[in-house]
Amino acid sequence: MEPETYRFIQQREDLWQFIRLNPEWYRYLTRNPNRIGELELQAKQFYGKTLPQRMEKAQQNMQMIRLLMQMAGSWND
């Protein structure tokens, strides 16, 4: 792997861990270091950091809060 690419990955703990879990990406980057953008996108999807995934998680949290508030309200009655 090119030294620049290796240093970039070492600086980003999430990418480093993603490559350890998916070693095929080490081969991809060794052959074509320009695929670093694809790696970042795949890592974001894997860790749930894309905008749609974060919005879905926020909606789930809101639903959980509503449910807990309803349950607390029914206990007070």
Side-chain angles (χ1 to χ4, degrees):
M1 184 181 298
E2 289 188 3
E4 296 169 9
T5 307
Y6 189 74
R7 272 185 253 126
F8 177 76
I9 292 170
Q10 278 186 320
Q11 291 173 355
R12 298 265 313 269
E13 183 64 32
D14 59 332
L15 296 179
W16 185 257
Q17 193 66 22
F18 180 73
I19 288 178
R20 290 192 65 163
L21 295 172
N22 301 287
E24 65 271 8
W25 273 100
Y26 185 84
R27 289 190 308 267
Y28 296 154
L29 293 174
T30 300
R31 293 177 188 151
N32 186 1
N34 295 330
R35 292 184 72 180
I36 196 79
E38 289 179 55
L39 171 71
E40 288 181 293
L41 180 61
Q42 288 291 321
K44 279 184 179 182
Q45 289 175 348
F46 179 78
Y47 289 116
K49 293 183 178 181
T50 62
L51 183 60
Q53 289 171 321
R54 290 187 306 184
M55 288 179 62
E56 183 180 338
K57 186 175 180 182
Q59 287 176 339
Q60 289 174 351
N61 288 341
M62 292 296 288
Q63 288 175 351
M64 180 65 75
I65 290 170
R66 278 192 217 119
L67 176 66
L68 291 173
M69 289 175 64
Q70 288 174 353
M71 287 175 46
S74 67
W75 288 338
N76 289 335
D77 290 340

